[in-house]
Amino acid sequence: MNTSGHSKAITKLLLHLHPKKVNSQAIKFNRTFGLGGIAALLFVILFISGMLLRFAYVPSVKGAYDSIIELQNEVIFGQLLRNLHYWSGMLLVVVSFLHVIRVFYSQSIYYERRKNWLYGLLMMFIVVFSNFTGYLLPWDQLAFWAVTIMTNMLSYIPFVGDSLADLVRGGNEVTETTLLRFYHFHTGLLPLIMVFLMSIHFWLVRKSKGVTVQNCEEKTMLDTHPNLVYKEVVVALIVIVALLLFSMVIDAPLQEKANPLISPNPSKAPWYFMGFQELLLHIHPGFGIFVIPVLVTVFFIYIPFINYPELNVGKWFNSEQGKKITIITVIYAVILTIVVILTSEYFLDLREWMPNVPVLISTGLLLLLLYFVPAAAFLYYLKSNHKAVKIDLVMALFTIIITAYIVMTIVGSLFRGEGMHLFA
């Protein structure tokens, strides 16, 4: 094939990623903040750096930790490579989370984009699960006990919890079998699933004509190259340089080699699961690990299928009223979550107060109502006093859930000391 043929082939490939022309409103940075593209770039960085790390890593209890030490101390740029891989993984969790939030609040999940919202939620799960499986691979105290805590949490799922935890671990405890399972998931199966889902995700975005814009906005079509391509290249270079600089300065954490006989105090889950661990300190595990996550998942899946007569697709927060309501909801959810945490920590002991009441009721249902009733009352207040319509109330409920989890993550990560007690 001659040079002209190569050029045409490359052009056809690029046209599958972008159309020849794009809406000028769609490529404004504050429309998407480049989060989807940044997430894709981080996946590529993780894939390349992960492949290089495989040459040095030994997936065994005897060799894993020592191979990390050798990588950092003996291999040229080994420390930088591990740092880059670790921080890219952590950033991917954050960026994916922000991308989900951006898509929701910009009203980009309705009509023909419903299916992509579901794929996006699934990809968010895969990103977290992939990060979690990689968390164990250094086989240090931090990784070992974090994974031990999280796999033990699975046992609280009714009926299948113990079997599921044993399946994930490959036994009753975190052992070399667990390490091998996590290694193969992290380096083999999950990347393949992610590539498959990303392909569908990009195809659906392309099929729905790119980024969502309002129908009322002026539609000026611009050439994709250079108007969009240059912006993507600049953002990519900024992310890569920032990651490299950060990785040169801040090392990925590595504690002493894992010791199953010595548990650190406190033992904490990975930061992105700290919201669950914090929740379990206040409510019955069956509710914290099963009931609440199932209810939230069903709600998130159902959101785009609700009938909204007042929907403004492509408009941030749907309206100025929606924006105002969202801000008020964030403030209320932060205050409510902190009040419930402090009340449960220092004032409530329902198990002691109600010794004859089943714990599913006293430390489960009643504590759930402690949060649910004020949240429901707040939604009623929004409807009555702020004339909130259906889409406003759905956004408010979504905001309460997300804000509560963020607050619990911060409290659990930064304000829990020995024995998981709160400290100022």
Side-chain angles (χ1 to χ4, degrees):
M1 185 183 290
N2 56 28
T3 304
S4 177
H6 282 297
S7 178
K8 290 180 179 179
I10 293 173
T11 301
K12 289 181 179 180
L13 175 63
L14 291 175
L15 285 177
H16 281 83
L17 299 177
H18 292 307
K20 290 182 178 180
K21 292 184 178 292
V22 290
N23 192 321
S24 60
Q25 300 297 322
I27 62 175
K28 288 183 177 180
F29 186 72
N30 61 358
R31 174 73 64 178
T32 65
F33 302 102
L35 293 171
I38 293 172
L41 173 65
L42 290 172
F43 178 79
V44 172
I45 293 173
L46 284 165
F47 183 84
I48 295 173
S49 59
M51 290 296 293
L52 294 174
L53 288 172
R54 283 173 59 96
F55 287 98
Y57 182 73
V58 179
S60 69
V61 168
K62 291 184 177 179
Y65 184 81
D66 292 337
S67 68
I68 296 295
I69 295 295
E70 183 178 357
L71 170 74
Q72 295 183 159
N73 297 335
E74 305 297 332
V75 177
I76 185 169
F77 298 123
Q79 178 75 70
L80 177 61
L81 179 62
R82 178 172 180 255
N83 293 346
L84 181 63
H85 188 77
Y86 180 88
W87 295 122
S88 295
M90 293 299 166
L91 184 58
L92 179 58
V93 174
V94 175
V95 169
S96 299
F97 178 73
L98 293 176
H99 185 51
V100 168
I101 291 177
R102 193 282 301 173
V103 169
F104 174 80
Y105 283 120
S106 63
Q107 310 299 298
S108 303
I109 65 173
Y110 303 105
Y111 304 131
E112 72 275 8
R113 300 175 188 272
R114 292 170 177 166
K115 191 181 295 185
N116 223 1
W117 168 252
L118 301 183
Y119 278 110
L121 293 178
L122 182 57
M123 288 171 64
M124 181 75 228
F125 172 79
I126 297 297
V127 165
V128 172
F129 188 39
S130 181
N131 205 295
F132 177 60
T133 53
Y135 208 83
L136 179 65
L137 301 188
W139 200 253
D140 64 343
Q141 281 286 76
L142 177 68
F144 178 86
W145 287 102
V147 171
T148 298
I149 290 169
M150 282 306 304
T151 52
N152 286 342
M153 286 184 187
L154 293 175
S155 63
Y156 295 125
I157 298 176
F159 307 114
V160 299
D162 290 331
S163 300
L164 182 60
D166 290 346
L167 178 64
V168 171
R169 290 186 299 245
N172 296 325
E173 298 176 346
V174 176
T175 62
E176 183 165 300
T177 301
T178 315
L179 179 65
L180 285 172
R181 290 192 177 192
F182 277 41
Y183 174 74
H184 291 303
F185 268 110
H186 186 72
T187 63
L189 182 60
L190 292 178
L192 287 176
I193 294 175
M194 196 64 182
V195 169
F196 175 73
L197 292 177
M198 287 174 63
S199 301
I200 297 175
H201 183 71
F202 288 137
W203 176 73
L204 288 174
V205 171
R206 183 83 166 79
K207 185 179 178 183
S208 56
K209 300 179 181 179
V211 177
T212 308
V213 295
Q214 288 182 262
N215 291 330
C216 61
E217 290 180 317
E218 181 183 351
K219 293 184 179 180
T220 302
M221 304 304 291
L222 303 173
D223 291 332
T224 298
H225 179 78
N227 294 287
L228 174 59
V229 174
Y230 280 12
K231 288 185 177 182
E232 290 178 330
V233 170
V234 169
V235 171
L237 289 175
I238 291 173
V239 171
I240 292 171
V241 171
L243 264 176
L244 282 172
L245 291 175
F246 191 85
S247 299
M248 291 176 185
V249 176
I250 308 295
D251 288 339
L254 186 68
Q255 297 183 0
E256 61 272 15
K257 189 173 183 178
N259 186 344
L261 302 178
I262 301 176
S263 173
N265 189 5
S267 294
K268 293 187 177 183
W271 65 268
Y272 39 83
F273 286 134
M274 275 307 303
F276 286 111
Q277 190 172 0
E278 177 66 28
L279 185 61
L280 290 179
L281 296 174
H282 305 282
I283 199 168
H284 188 280
F287 278 79
I289 295 299
F290 181 71
V291 175
I292 295 176
V294 167
L295 291 175
V296 170
T297 301
V298 170
F299 171 64
F300 280 13
I301 291 173
Y302 186 58
I303 287 174
F305 298 95
I306 300 173
N307 181 32
Y308 303 100
E310 326 81 358
L311 191 62
N312 294 315
V313 174
K315 183 173 179 59
W316 277 89
F317 305 107
N318 198 64
S319 64
E320 287 302 314
Q321 174 181 261
K323 181 178 180 180
K324 178 182 177 181
I325 287 175
T326 301
I327 294 172
I328 295 172
T329 304
V330 170
I331 296 171
Y332 180 80
V334 169
I335 295 172
L336 176 61
T337 306
I338 293 174
V339 168
V340 170
I341 288 174
L342 294 177
T343 301
S344 173
E345 182 80 12
Y346 296 114
F347 303 107
L348 278 183
D349 192 347
L350 295 181
R351 182 177 295 183
E352 183 177 334
W353 295 356
M354 304 176 179
N356 298 322
V357 177
V359 291
L360 274 174
I361 302 297
S362 60
T363 63
L365 183 59
L366 291 180
L367 277 172
L368 179 61
L369 291 176
L370 180 65
Y371 197 94
F372 178 80
V373 171
F378 178 74
L379 294 177
Y380 180 78
Y381 162 79
L382 291 177
K383 184 176 182 179
S384 301
N385 291 58
H386 291 269
K387 308 301 180 185
V389 294
K390 188 184 295 185
I391 184 63
D392 297 330
L393 295 176
V394 170
M395 280 197 298
L397 182 54
F398 179 90
T399 302
I400 290 173
I401 294 170
I402 295 297
T403 304
Y405 192 80
I406 292 173
V407 171
M408 289 190 293
T409 299
I410 293 172
V411 170
S413 300
L414 303 179
F415 298 100
R416 291 281 178 183
E418 285 190 18
M420 292 301 289
H421 296 301
L422 281 175
F423 63 86

